[in-house]
Amino acid sequence: MSTVAAVAAVTAVTGFNLGALSPVANAATPAAHHYASPTLHFSTHNNAADPTFNQLLGINDRGVMAGYFGSGQPGHPNKGYTLSGDHDQDNYRNENFPGSAQTQVTAINDRNQTVGFWVDSVGNSYGFADVRGHFTDVVDPHGQGAAAGGATTEQLLGVNEQNQAVGFWTDANGNNHGFRYDLRSRTFHEIHVPGQASVMATSINDRGDVAISASDGNTQMAYLLHHGRAYAVTAPGGGNIQAFGINDRDQVVGQYTDSAGVAHGYEWNRRHIRTIDDPNGIGSTVVNGLNNHGDLVGFYVDAAGNTDGFLAATK
């Protein structure tokens, strides 16, 4: 497979007018930011160490991306990396937690601080932060050994410029519990959404607003947490929806499932959502991160069954 399979100036976007936000708590809708949806230019980016499985998960305002290769199946471990510069093979940088069996780098801020999670040899997963090459284990004490069988399942998924990260841990019933983590004080603050049994805090912007994926046990739902109030992001057709990324404009990205059961990426901007499908995909695109320029990253499944990382740039 080539280093970069570029698809220039292709836009696979469909707009849906959602009307007003639906607040979970009784609060005024946050003030809208006027924003015109730009044309997106798609390109595929796969690490040559494994061209069959790549996921791009985060991008900062400098265009540096975070992700990993490897499916996580036996003999095919997750291995983290960042990708900078002109995004060719020479600009991949391996990033793996010391002594880990597997690592995913899930988010990166403008100071190139990264967060993610690592997996040990028996399958426990722990959050981590990497500040200038110094790795720190991040484990919410509520989640230590809380998963089924006394295991630990924890991930850090987002980081902002204010030394705040977000993530979740999993309990013995399989429910997730979101949290915010301060990288300086190393303190945790639990995040809840009324009526939701399972909550993942997936991304945080510089204003402290948080993207959330949650479930009541039956339906996957997405929220914007703004000033402590949760506002629902509604999927086209009312299908399951998850939120994975947020920028300082409170644009949210993620994935939803349509009425035919097909998964699509999306980009949401207060009163409007548009579908994002990579033109090389076969109906299963995930948008996982975005920056303040509106550039998107994620992954899709191609016709050969490979999982490919993509960048959808605004210029």
Side-chain angles (χ1 to χ4, degrees), residues 7 28 63 69 75 79-80 87 93 117 126 129 158 164 170 173 192 219-220 231 260 263 274 278 280 286 297 315:
V7 184
F69 65 80
K79 295 297 177 182
H87 303 144
R93 297 290 181 269
F117 64 95
Y126 309 90
Q164 296 173 319
T170 305
N173 295 318
H192 306 280
T219 304
Q220 291 284 346
Y231 296 85
R274 63 172 177 170
D278 191 288
N280 288 321
V286 177
V297 293
K315 61 180 179 179

Side-chain angles (χ1 to χ4, degrees), residues 59-61 107-115 129-131 156-167 180-184 202-211 246-248 290 292:
I59 183 170
N60 67 17
D61 287 348
I108 185 167
N109 67 16
D110 290 342
R111 290 177 287 169
N112 290 337
Q113 296 174 335
T114 58
V115 297
D130 179 4
V131 179
L156 279 186
L157 299 178
V159 63
N160 65 13
E161 301 298 314
Q162 314 304 322
N163 293 296
Q164 296 173 319
V166 291
R180 184 176 68 248
Y181 174 74
D182 188 288
L183 274 66
R184 288 177 174 167
T202 58
S203 186
I204 185 168
N205 67 18
D206 290 345
R207 302 162 62 188
D209 295 340
V210 179
I246 190 172
N247 66 11
D248 291 343
L290 77 166
N292 289 322

Side-chain angles (χ1 to χ4, degrees), residues 116-162:
F117 64 95
W118 64 280
V119 182
D120 66 18
S121 60
V122 296
N124 296 300
S125 63
Y126 309 90
F128 76 83
D130 179 4
V131 179
R132 295 183 297 277
H134 178 69
F135 286 87
T136 302
D137 234 342
V138 178
V139 183
D140 189 320
H142 295 92
Q144 182 78 50
T152 297
T153 300
E154 181 166 325
Q155 300 180 11
L156 279 186
L157 299 178
V159 63
N160 65 13
E161 301 298 314
Q162 314 304 322

Side-chain angles (χ1 to χ4, degrees), residues 50-139:
D50 184 359
T52 69
F53 195 100
N54 281 258
Q55 294 189 0
L56 291 175
L57 303 180
I59 183 170
N60 67 17
D61 287 348
R62 299 178 180 178
V64 184
M65 299 185 284
Y68 73 99
F69 65 80
S71 66
Q73 297 300 312
H76 205 203
N78 302 158
K79 295 297 177 182
Y81 58 71
T82 60
L83 177 58
S84 60
D86 57 6
H87 303 144
D88 65 15
Q89 290 297 314
D90 292 337
N91 288 296
Y92 282 93
R93 297 290 181 269
N94 294 335
E95 182 175 338
N96 294 290
F97 192 91
S100 64
Q102 303 191 76
T103 297
Q104 291 189 25
V105 185
T106 58
I108 185 167
N109 67 16
D110 290 342
R111 290 177 287 169
N112 290 337
Q113 296 174 335
T114 58
V115 297
F117 64 95
W118 64 280
V119 182
D120 66 18
S121 60
V122 296
N124 296 300
S125 63
Y126 309 90
F128 76 83
D130 179 4
V131 179
R132 295 183 297 277
H134 178 69
F135 286 87
T136 302
D137 234 342
V138 178
V139 183

